[in-house]
């Protein structure tokens, strides 16, 4: 089952709020429900949000066939449903660009983006697994790698196969994966609920760790490389990703461990010069002062809850996309690294 798809005039998607206990598919036929589902994280992860945005415009274009202004107005609301992952506005804009050709062209464009996501994740897996294997064997002489990751960047964050977790899956399929440490990812536990579920499904050996244990574990040599996804990569390579990523990058630098960002080209936002320009979603107190429906802090406690942080490019070894590897540690930049080909095995 794909994480997000289009079937018989509706968007279908797995309700990720119910995982790992229940696999339930939602059928979404209107954009207001889609916006709510995005905001409650039924569908989440930057690439999946991009496809949700594009398919959402396809719904609108079909529903308001003779009212392009209405389509554009509702698409503008969809675009703003969550602010940090640039893929959402990218997906909406890509689909809207086909609107002058009619509703069928909008759907065709959205389905092209869906298919490109699937192929792109395979390609990222190939580029990323090669890079990790090379960096680790150069440093340690080992051909079996121990990986650390945070949040969920697997098939649940894309259409079918993941970005950073896709690299881990490719390493596993090649017989080169020794172990994974998955950070649980407070406060909503995307690592514990979703990444652990995916790692179990594809049979990779792993342990879960609380986020605050990860820097210590890296300092004790528990992983050979860290891979994360991205919600937005600025023009200089600064990267917004799930809160906790920056701590991992600092610790990876301290431990001398490669820190690799894996994300599609659609996550690169050249209109943001650097990480300062990236808007960070604030998800409010409730997610922090409650746990699984039980209040855990005294009544009236307020909490800070930035959903993402920004890792400066100086802490990032390399960015892997479906079409290139930008080796920041070797002084490469996004501007001077040309796009290459998709790499399919
Ligand atoms: O709040 P979420 O679950 O949407 O956050 C997701 C992440 O931070 C992912 O790491 C990122 O979107 C990349 S997904 C391939």
């Amino acid at each position: 089952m794909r994480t997000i798809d289009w079937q018989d005039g509706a968007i279908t998607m797995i309700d990720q709020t119910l995982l790992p206990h229940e696999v339930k598919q939602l059928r979404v036929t209107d954009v207001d429900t889609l916006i709510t589902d995005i905001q409650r994280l039924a569908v989440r992860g930057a690439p999946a949000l991009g496809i949700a945005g594009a398919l959402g415009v396809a719904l609108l274009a079909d529903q308001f066939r003779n009212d392009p202004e209405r389509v554009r107005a509702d698409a503008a609301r969809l675009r703003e449903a969550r602010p940090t992952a640039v893929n959402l506005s990218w997906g909406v804009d890509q689909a809207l660009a086909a609107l002058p050709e009619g509703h069928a062209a909008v759907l065709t464009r959205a389905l092209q983006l869906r298919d490109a996501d699937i192929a792109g994740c395979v390609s990222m897996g190939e580029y990323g697994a090669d890079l990790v294997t090379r960096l680790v064997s150069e440093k340690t002489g080992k051909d079996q790698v121990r990986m650390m990751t945070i949040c969920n960047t697997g098939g649940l964050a894309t259409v079918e196969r993941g970005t950073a977790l896709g690299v881990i899956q490719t390493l596993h399929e090649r017989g080169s994966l020794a172990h994974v440490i998955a950070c649980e990812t407070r406060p909503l536990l995307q690592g514990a609920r979703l990444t652990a579920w995916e790692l179990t499904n594809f049979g990779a050996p792993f342990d879960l760790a609380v986020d605050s244990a990860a820097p210590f574990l890296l300092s004790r040599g528990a992983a050979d490389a860290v891979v994360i996804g991205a919600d937005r990569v600025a023009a200089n390579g600064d990267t917004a990703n799930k809160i906790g990523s920056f701590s991992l990058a600092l610790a990876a630098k301290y431990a001398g461990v490669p820190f690799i960002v894996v994300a599609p080209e659609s996550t690169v936002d050249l209109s943001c010069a650097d990480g300062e320009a990236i808007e960070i979603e604030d998800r409010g107190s409730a997610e922090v002062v409650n746990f699984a429906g039980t209040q855990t802090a005294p009544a009236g406690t307020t909490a800070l809850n930035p959903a993402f942080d920004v890792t400066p490019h100086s802490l990032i070894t390399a960015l892997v996309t479906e079409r290139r590897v930008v080796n920041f540690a070797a002084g490469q930049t996004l501007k001077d690294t040309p796009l290459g080909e998709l790499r399919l095995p």
Side-chain angles (χ1 to χ4, degrees), residues 9-51:
I11 300 173
T12 55
M13 56 199 202
I14 296 175
D15 184 347
Q16 300 191 33
T17 63
L18 303 177
L19 289 170
H21 306 296
E22 189 185 344
V23 182
K24 182 179 165 193
Q25 202 174 43
L26 300 172
R27 196 179 144 80
V28 179
T29 54
D30 70 277
V31 89
D32 287 304
T33 306
L34 179 60
I35 289 172
T36 306
D37 284 338
I38 287 172
Q39 289 171 340
R40 69 185 187 91
L41 309 196
V43 59
R44 46 144 300 279
L49 290 175
I51 306 307

Side-chain angles (χ1 to χ4, degrees), residues 243-260:
I243 193 76
S245 301
F246 179 37
S247 322
L248 293 188
L250 288 164
K253 183 69 128 192
Y254 178 83
V257 162
F259 183 89
I260 298 160

Side-chain angles (χ1 to χ4, degrees), residues 68-90:
E69 284 323 301
R70 174 71 194 267
V71 174
R72 289 183 196 285
D74 281 0
R77 290 191 299 117
L78 174 59
R79 213 174 175 279
E80 307 297 322
R82 290 187 77 192
T84 304
V86 69
N87 305 63
L88 177 59
S89 52
W90 169 87

Side-chain angles (χ1 to χ4, degrees), residues 3-326:
T3 298
I4 182 161
D5 209 346
W6 178 268
Q7 275 166 23
D8 305 325
I11 300 173
T12 55
M13 56 199 202
I14 296 175
D15 184 347
Q16 300 191 33
T17 63
L18 303 177
L19 289 170
H21 306 296
E22 189 185 344
V23 182
K24 182 179 165 193
Q25 202 174 43
L26 300 172
R27 196 179 144 80
V28 179
T29 54
D30 70 277
V31 89
D32 287 304
T33 306
L34 179 60
I35 289 172
T36 306
D37 284 338
I38 287 172
Q39 289 171 340
R40 69 185 187 91
L41 309 196
V43 59
R44 46 144 300 279
L49 290 175
I51 306 307
L55 291 174
V57 177
L59 275 183
L60 289 167
D62 186 35
Q63 196 178 354
F64 304 111
R65 290 187 186 187
N66 301 314
D67 192 352
E69 284 323 301
R70 174 71 194 267
V71 174
R72 289 183 196 285
D74 281 0
R77 290 191 299 117
L78 174 59
R79 213 174 175 279
E80 307 297 322
R82 290 187 77 192
T84 304
V86 69
N87 305 63
L88 177 59
S89 52
W90 169 87
V92 167
D93 293 347
Q94 289 278 321
L96 271 182
L99 191 60
E101 298 156 52
H103 71 277
V106 174
L107 178 59
T108 301
R109 182 73 191 120
L111 297 180
Q112 282 167 351
L113 299 182
R114 174 201 64 187
D115 295 344
D117 178 273
I118 295 170
C121 286
V122 175
S123 183
M124 274 178 261
E126 293 293 314
Y127 279 121
D130 279 3
L131 177 69
V132 167
T133 309
R134 182 173 60 74
L135 292 174
V136 173
S137 85
E138 276 171 10
K139 190 173 157 218
T140 67
K142 292 189 302 183
D143 60 1
Q144 292 280 309
V145 297
R146 297 164 307 151
M147 305 296 293
M148 180 181 280
T149 191
I150 189 167
C151 197
N152 172 265
T153 59
L156 289 169
T158 62
V159 176
E160 205 172 78
R161 194 181 165 98
T163 59
L165 198 61
V167 170
I168 290 175
Q169 188 173 354
T170 303
L171 288 165
H172 180 58
E173 288 163 358
R174 291 181 181 180
S176 305
L177 181 69
H179 183 250
V180 184
I181 297 173
C183 297
E184 68 170 351
T185 318
R186 280 280 291 151
L188 296 181
L189 303 182
Q190 288 94 330
R193 295 186 304 106
L194 309 177
T195 299
W197 186 74
E198 291 201 51
L199 287 165
T200 303
N201 290 347
F202 64 74
F206 75 95
D207 287 296
L208 202 58
V210 296
D211 302 342
S212 46
F216 171 67
L217 291 169
L218 284 174
S219 79
R220 288 286 171 101
D224 302 307
V226 179
V227 277
I228 66 159
D231 288 86
R232 196 181 293 236
V233 179
N236 72 344
D238 293 354
T239 293
N241 190 52
K242 180 53 58 193
I243 193 76
S245 301
F246 179 37
S247 322
L248 293 188
L250 288 164
K253 183 69 128 192
Y254 178 83
V257 162
F259 183 89
I260 298 160
V261 175
V262 187
E265 292 291 334
S266 52
T267 304
V268 176
D269 183 0
L270 296 177
S271 75
C272 285
D274 56 33
E276 285 284 321
I278 300 176
E279 184 182 346
I280 299 297
E281 179 180 4
D282 176 348
R283 289 190 61 85
S285 289
E287 292 175 353
V288 179
V289 300
N290 296 286
F291 189 80
T294 302
Q295 192 172 321
T296 52
T301 301
T302 54
L304 303 173
N305 188 14
F308 303 96
D309 57 27
V310 176
T311 300
H313 67 279
S314 56
L315 295 178
I316 300 171
T317 308
L319 167 69
V320 175
T321 80
E322 71 276 34
R323 297 190 51 191
R324 57 181 163 169
V325 174
V326 186

